[in-house]
């Protein structure tokens, strides 16, 4: 199971695989051309082929000797140790023993001593701490150097130079090679028997990737050493973000518990639920024809308070096409949201008709719990979530295509452009429905005789009204369904799908003795870690960050749900990287890139959105005005707030087109005795 060859103990730094399907001469010519360039690359050694069990797949095992590593370490300015660190370790602090259960062994947290480092210089080899040239460069650095060489190695003929025919990635895209990957160092479930082979993968699995280690600190130094800085920074950021969620979750729980405990003191909710007060208030119909008059106490439960250089013309044309494509997909999202809103308006009347007061209606058994508003909101939120998943799947490929078309000069520029496009799209896709409920629903309704319609009166789709308790409960429902649904779907995709794919791909290998199932074949059967692997991990967390900040005023428990999800997310990602994916090529990184600016913008925007939710979506300000300016008697009280906040309207003045059809009114409605109805929205507009 060693990643070394027995003859001379030479390390396998990279593996290329191809399938001998005897299909076409062009593929064979490309392979031979690239093969010749690798063999003649200065000082690079090339190891023999290894045929697989299926008699079709061949593996090219590449070993980089010291001269190659030293040359390119100098080119890439890779930092290496030149002196042991003499900085004294921090003293133990009082009560440090309390943190011992959360700590990992020191050899896992610090897999190598602390050193002062400097960029490698081949001409000053004696300056650096080189005990053994075979182990001086860690595996992550070795595979990074080999990948750098492979991505720049040409495959054109010597007498016919074509600059675009360069690099292993193009050969992977056109099918000449099937895969290119560095090897894991050993099995993850047991240590390597060969003492010359590292067991870092085993240590990562034992101390980091198992869910039972969820309360332990992360071995960030070992992660960086094994996977490289870029992946190490991702897990460091994810761990820090999860720790900070703990404090937000505590505050959210305190707010939620306070709201539950203070419900008995909530006079407004009691008045709505009181059969004498709320039960005596007749409300105007919420839609035309199919909606009947209704009593305020029917919404009792929903009233609780839950708070490369291109010519300019070519570049211009590409950017115009890119911008037009992004604009088209953004408009498509808006159109889908409008469709969901139209669904809410049209289906509300159907729910109201089915759930009306009727002794033969079976749904009447839960009519006090499921109101037309709640039923419409839940089903619309579920439909909206399905649309979100479909549009995300489609736009993912479009965003990659238009970013490729712009031809960024560097990989970092490519990632930043793709990051901005994907986040802008997903921002609109995930949050637009929440913005609608928070800031638009119930704001443009009108009043009896002058209602506002979505597409004009011809559409007969009256704009939605909020419940007497406000739109916060509906915003909470929308947020909970989309946020929780996204997290569940994401965890299934991240954990279950790779497991099933690997089981299916390695089913033949498991039928043979373990000694015949080589390290390179085992890794070949694992899932490929694409260049967008970390991109989707960051995107998932940033979208979650938006949910718990932009609308937290409506759902204080959102940080708690995010905390539980992220505790699982850290271990799922760790398990996936360690057991289900091929070893990624190590990459350098200084920070989390464009995501940092996006997080800053979302954090600033969240201050504005939460202030607007408190000011316009909730009825906190009208309540305070009533409490201190319009309360009855000398004592500040909320008694009478509901009656005071609802406007009266004479039923005889309601146009025929807005009245319920014959037979739609409930049995308790008597037109001779009930001459007025009340409205939620009218007092706000008047």
């Amino acid at each position: 199971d060693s990643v070394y060859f027995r003859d001379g103990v030479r390390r396998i730094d990279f593996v290329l695989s191809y399938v001998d399907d005897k299909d076409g001469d062009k593929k064979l010519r490309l392979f031979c051309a690239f093969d010749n360039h690798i063999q003649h690359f200065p000082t690079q050694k090339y190891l023999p082929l290894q045929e697989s069990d299926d008699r079709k797949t061949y593996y090219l095992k590449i070993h980089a000797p010291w001269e190659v590593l030293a040359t390119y370490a100098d080119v890439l300015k890779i930092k290496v140790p030149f002196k042991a660190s003499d900085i004294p370790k921090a003293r133990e602090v009082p009560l440090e023993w309390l943190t011992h259960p959360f700590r990992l062994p020191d050899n896992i947290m610090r897999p190598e001593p602390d050193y002062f480092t400097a960029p490698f210089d081949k001409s000053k080899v004696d300056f650096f701490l080189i005990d053994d040239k075979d182990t001086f460069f860690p595996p992550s650095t070795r595979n990074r150097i080999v990948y750098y060489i492979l991505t720049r190695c040409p495959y054109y003929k010597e007498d016919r130079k074509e600059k675009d025919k360069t690099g292993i990635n193009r050969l992977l895209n056109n099918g000449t090679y099937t895969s290119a990957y560095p090897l894991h160092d050993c099995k993850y479930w047991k240590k390597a028997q060969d003492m010359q082979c590292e067991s870092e993968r085993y240590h990562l699995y034992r101390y980091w990737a198992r869910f039972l280690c969820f309360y332990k600190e992360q071995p960030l130094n070992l992660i960086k050493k094994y996977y490289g800085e870029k992946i190490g920074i991702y897990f460091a950021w994810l761990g820090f973000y999860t720790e900070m969620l703990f404090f937000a979750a505590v505050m959210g729980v305190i707010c939620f518990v306070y709201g539950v405990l203070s419900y008995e003191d909530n006079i407004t909710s009691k008045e709505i639920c009181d059969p004498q007060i709320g039960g005596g208030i007749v409300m105007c119909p919420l839609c035309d024809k199919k909606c009947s008059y209704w009593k305020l106490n029917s919404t009792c439960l929903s009233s609780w308070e839950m708070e490369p250089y291109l010519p300019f013309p070519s570049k211009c044309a590409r950017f115009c096409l890119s911008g037009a494509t992004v604009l088209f997909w953004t408009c498509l999202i808006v159109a889908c949201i409008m469709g969901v809103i139209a669904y809410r308006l049209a289906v509300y009347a159907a729910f109201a008709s089915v759930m009306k007061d009727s002794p033969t209606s079976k749904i009447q058994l839960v009519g006090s719990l499921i109101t037309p508003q709640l039923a419409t909101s839940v089903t619309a939120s579920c439909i909206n979530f399905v649309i979100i998943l479909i549009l995300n799947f489609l736009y993912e490929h479009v965003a990659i295509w238009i970013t490729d078309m712009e031809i960024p000069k560097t990989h970092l520029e490519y990632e930043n452009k793709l990051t901005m496009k994907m986040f802008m799209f997903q921002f609109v896709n995930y949050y637009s429905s929440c913005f609608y409920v928070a800031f638009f629903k119930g704001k443009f309704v009108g009043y009896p005789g002058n209602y506002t319609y979505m597409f004009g009166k011809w559409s007969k789709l009256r704009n939605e009204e909020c419940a007497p308790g406000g739109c916060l409960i509906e915003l909470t429902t929308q947020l909970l369904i989309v946020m929780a649904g996204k997290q569940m779907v994401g965890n299934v995709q991240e954990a279950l799908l790779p497991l099933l794919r690997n089981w299916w791909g390695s089913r033949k290998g498991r039928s043979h003795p373990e000694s015949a199932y080589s390290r390179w074949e085992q890794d070949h059967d694992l899932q490929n870690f694409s260049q967008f692997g970390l991109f989707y991990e960051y995107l998932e967390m940033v979208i979650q960050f938006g949910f718990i900040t932009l609308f937290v005023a409506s759902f204080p428990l959102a940080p708690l749900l995010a905390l539980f999800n992220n505790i699982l997310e850290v271990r799922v990602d760790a398990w996936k990287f360690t057991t289900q994916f091929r070893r990624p090529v190590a990459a350098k990184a200084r920070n989390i890139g464009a995501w940092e600016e996006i997080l800053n913008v979302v954090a600033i925007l969240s201050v504005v959105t939460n202030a607007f939710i408190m000011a316009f979506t909730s009825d906190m300000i009208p309540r305070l005005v009533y409490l201190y300016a319009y309360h009855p008697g000398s004592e500040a009280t909320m008694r009478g707030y509901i009656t005071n906040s609802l406007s009266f309207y004479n039923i005889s003045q309601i146009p025929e087109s807005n009245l319920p059809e014959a037979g739609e009114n409930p049995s308790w409605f008597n037109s001779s005795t009930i001459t007025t109805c009340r409205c939620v929205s009218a007092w706000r507009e008047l």
Side-chain angles (χ1 to χ4, degrees):
D1 195 47
S2 173
V3 295
Y4 294 85
F5 276 110
R6 300 301 178 186
D7 52 330
V9 198
R10 293 179 294 179
R11 179 194 299 271
I12 304 175
D13 293 308
F14 226 86
V15 174
L16 307 180
S17 68
Y18 72 96
V19 177
D20 183 15
D21 53 8
K22 299 180 176 61
D23 185 18
D25 294 333
K26 181 179 179 181
K27 183 176 177 181
L28 181 60
R29 287 198 303 270
L30 292 175
F31 168 75
C32 292
F34 190 72
D35 179 57
N36 290 332
H37 276 89
I38 293 179
Q39 292 195 47
H40 292 93
F41 204 89
T43 69
Q44 172 135 354
K45 295 183 179 179
Y46 194 60
L47 298 182
L49 294 172
Q50 172 70 33
E51 187 180 16
S52 68
D53 182 70
D54 62 8
R55 304 292 179 181
K56 292 182 179 180
T57 305
Y58 291 80
Y59 300 93
L60 281 69
K61 295 162 289 184
I62 297 175
H63 164 74
W66 167 257
E67 284 299 321
V68 171
L69 296 173
T71 299
Y72 283 92
D74 195 345
V75 171
L76 297 174
K77 302 301 179 185
I78 293 175
K79 291 186 177 181
V80 295
F82 68 89
K83 180 183 178 182
S85 175
D86 55 3
I87 299 177
K89 294 184 179 181
R91 298 179 179 177
E92 291 191 2
V93 297
L95 302 180
E96 191 178 14
W97 58 272
L98 293 174
T99 64
H100 285 175
F102 308 102
R103 290 186 175 182
L104 294 176
D106 194 62
N107 66 311
I108 302 300
M109 287 300 297
R110 298 173 180 81
E112 52 190 6
D114 292 333
Y115 293 106
F116 293 114
T117 61
F120 185 80
D121 188 339
K122 189 178 179 182
S123 63
K124 301 177 181 178
V125 173
D126 294 337
F127 175 71
F128 301 102
L129 298 178
I130 305 177
D131 295 329
D132 185 352
K133 291 183 178 180
D134 289 334
T135 59
F136 179 67
F137 292 106
S140 58
T141 300
R142 298 175 69 102
N143 70 58
R144 178 187 164 203
I145 291 175
V146 173
Y147 184 72
Y148 179 86
I149 298 172
L150 293 177
T151 54
R152 287 155 178 79
C153 189
Y155 56 90
Y156 50 76
K157 294 182 179 179
E158 292 293 341
D159 58 342
R160 186 180 177 184
K161 295 187 177 181
E162 301 173 71
K163 293 184 179 180
D164 62 327
K165 292 189 174 181
T166 303
I168 186 63
N169 290 330
R170 284 183 174 271
L171 291 172
L172 289 170
N173 291 335
N174 63 28
T176 303
Y177 287 96
T178 56
S179 61
Y181 54 92
L183 288 178
H184 283 294
D185 60 10
C186 65
K187 296 181 178 69
Y188 64 84
W189 60 89
K190 68 177 182 180
K191 280 188 176 182
Q193 297 178 354
D194 189 342
M195 296 301 296
Q196 291 180 309
C197 180
E198 295 93 344
S199 295
E200 292 172 353
R201 188 188 185 194
Y202 165 75
H203 292 313
L204 285 171
Y205 175 74
R206 180 181 177 185
Y207 296 103
W208 178 54
R210 296 187 303 164
F211 182 73
L212 293 179
C213 301
F214 72 92
Y215 61 95
K216 295 282 189 178
E217 58 185 340
Q218 295 190 84
L220 296 176
N221 288 332
L222 186 57
I223 297 170
K224 182 194 74 171
K225 181 183 177 184
Y226 191 76
Y227 290 115
E229 286 82 355
K230 191 171 185 178
I231 292 178
I233 286 178
Y234 164 72
F235 281 103
W237 173 81
L238 181 58
F240 172 78
Y241 170 46
T242 303
E243 289 175 8
M244 294 301 102
L245 277 176
F246 173 78
F247 302 101
V250 170
M251 290 302 301
V253 171
I254 292 174
C255 293
F256 179 80
V257 172
Y258 173 79
V260 172
L261 296 179
S262 62
Y263 172 68
E264 292 299 325
D265 300 327
N266 193 330
I267 298 176
T268 302
S269 297
K270 288 184 176 181
E271 288 185 350
I272 293 177
C273 298
D274 193 301
Q276 302 300 322
I277 302 176
I281 297 178
V282 178
M283 304 295 292
C284 297
L286 293 174
C287 63
D288 297 341
K289 301 298 183 182
K290 294 297 182 181
C291 293
S292 64
Y293 298 96
W294 53 287
K295 292 184 178 181
L296 182 61
N297 67 345
S298 65
T299 63
C300 173
L301 293 180
S302 64
S303 66
W304 293 9
E305 283 300 289
M306 294 176 66
E307 307 282 320
Y309 178 74
L310 289 172
F312 180 76
S314 176
K315 183 183 293 186
C316 183
R318 289 172 182 269
F319 275 96
C320 288
L321 179 59
S322 171
T325 305
V326 173
L327 181 62
F328 166 78
W329 279 89
T330 303
C331 292
L332 181 61
I333 297 174
V334 174
C336 291
I337 296 301
M338 295 294 289
V340 173
I341 295 173
Y343 162 85
R344 297 169 69 109
L345 302 180
V347 171
Y348 181 87
F351 275 119
S353 178
V354 172
M355 302 170 71
K356 66 182 180 179
D357 188 9
S358 171
T360 60
S361 177
K362 294 181 180 179
I363 203 168
Q364 179 64 22
L365 296 173
V366 291
S368 61
L369 299 177
I370 304 178
T371 63
Q373 293 99 324
L374 181 59
T376 303
S377 179
V378 170
T379 56
S381 299
C382 294
I383 293 174
N384 180 66
F385 178 64
V386 173
I387 293 175
I388 286 173
L389 296 180
I390 295 174
L391 291 179
N392 275 349
F393 175 78
L394 296 176
Y395 184 77
E396 175 184 326
H397 303 285
V398 175
I400 294 174
W401 174 73
I402 59 179
T403 306
D404 288 337
M405 182 187 62
E406 293 177 5
I407 313 181
K409 295 180 180 179
T410 63
H411 182 69
L412 178 61
E413 182 182 354
Y414 177 87
E415 282 191 344
N416 289 341
K417 287 179 177 290
L418 182 62
T419 296
M420 295 306 299
K421 289 182 179 65
M422 283 295 293
F423 178 74
M424 288 172 58
F425 172 82
Q426 296 221 3
F427 184 93
V428 178
N429 199 16
Y430 278 106
Y431 304 143
S432 55
S433 58
C434 293
F435 273 102
Y436 162 73
V437 175
F439 304 121
F440 295 97
K441 182 179 178 181
K443 306 301 186 296
F444 310 100
V445 177
Y447 50 88
N450 189 29
Y451 286 118
T452 304
Y453 294 79
M454 184 177 180
F455 302 112
K457 290 188 177 181
W458 63 269
S459 67
K460 299 182 180 180
L461 295 175
R462 265 172 51 185
N463 287 348
E464 286 184 285
E465 295 186 25
C466 292
C471 280
L472 275 182
I473 187 63
E474 295 186 51
L475 178 58
T476 302
T477 302
Q478 179 79 28
L479 187 65
L480 180 61
I481 290 176
V482 177
M483 179 181 174
K486 182 183 183 302
Q487 292 183 166
M488 287 189 292
V489 171
N491 286 329
V492 169
Q493 287 180 335
E494 290 189 28
L496 187 59
L497 292 183
L499 188 65
L500 294 176
R501 288 171 180 168
N502 288 336
W503 172 81
W504 181 258
S506 62
R507 63 193 187 284
K508 292 182 179 179
R510 290 193 304 274
S511 63
H512 296 279
E514 187 174 347
S515 58
Y517 194 28
S518 63
R519 171 83 271 139
W520 39 90
E521 287 183 282
Q522 294 176 41
D523 283 15
H524 181 268
D525 291 337
L526 297 178
Q527 293 297 298
N528 180 44
F529 185 81
S530 71
Q531 60 175 325
F532 302 114
L534 280 185
F535 171 82
Y536 294 114
E537 302 293 345
Y538 276 116
L539 182 61
E540 179 186 6
M541 290 295 103
V542 171
I543 294 297
Q544 181 202 82
F545 179 77
F547 279 125
I548 66 172
T549 55
L550 293 173
F551 309 103
V552 70
S554 69
F555 188 34
L557 290 184
L560 182 64
L561 294 182
L563 176 63
F564 288 151
N565 175 80
N566 285 13
I567 291 174
L568 178 64
E569 179 77 18
V570 172
R571 303 305 161 176
V572 168
D573 285 350
W575 170 80
K576 180 176 62 178
F577 274 69
T578 308
T579 67
Q580 303 301 309
F581 280 94
R582 296 171 186 162
R583 187 174 187 170
V585 178
K588 295 287 288 184
R590 295 181 178 179
N591 47 45
I592 63 175
W595 298 111
E596 184 175 357
E597 293 301 321
I598 291 175
L599 289 170
N600 288 334
V601 171
V602 173
I604 295 172
L605 182 61
S606 67
V607 177
V608 179
T609 56
N610 283 287
F612 274 57
I613 287 174
M614 299 305 295
F616 302 111
T617 306
S618 73
D619 58 351
M620 182 185 73
I621 293 179
R623 285 171 182 263
L624 292 176
V625 171
Y626 180 83
L627 179 64
Y628 294 109
Y630 297 103
H631 63 271
S634 58
E635 181 184 357
T637 178
M638 290 298 295
R639 288 190 180 91
Y641 170 75
I642 287 297
T643 303
N644 179 270
S645 64
L646 298 176
S647 58
F648 287 88
Y649 200 83
N650 197 324
I651 294 177
S652 63
Q653 295 181 0
I654 299 179
E656 184 68 25
S657 59
N658 298 138
L659 290 174
E661 292 179 343
E664 292 294 335
N665 285 328
S667 57
W668 51 261
F669 182 79
N670 189 335
S671 58
S672 61
T673 58
I674 300 177
T675 58
T676 61
C677 62
R678 311 289 291 273
C679 294
V680 176
S681 59
W683 71 271
R684 292 176 177 170
E685 299 199 5
L686 295 176

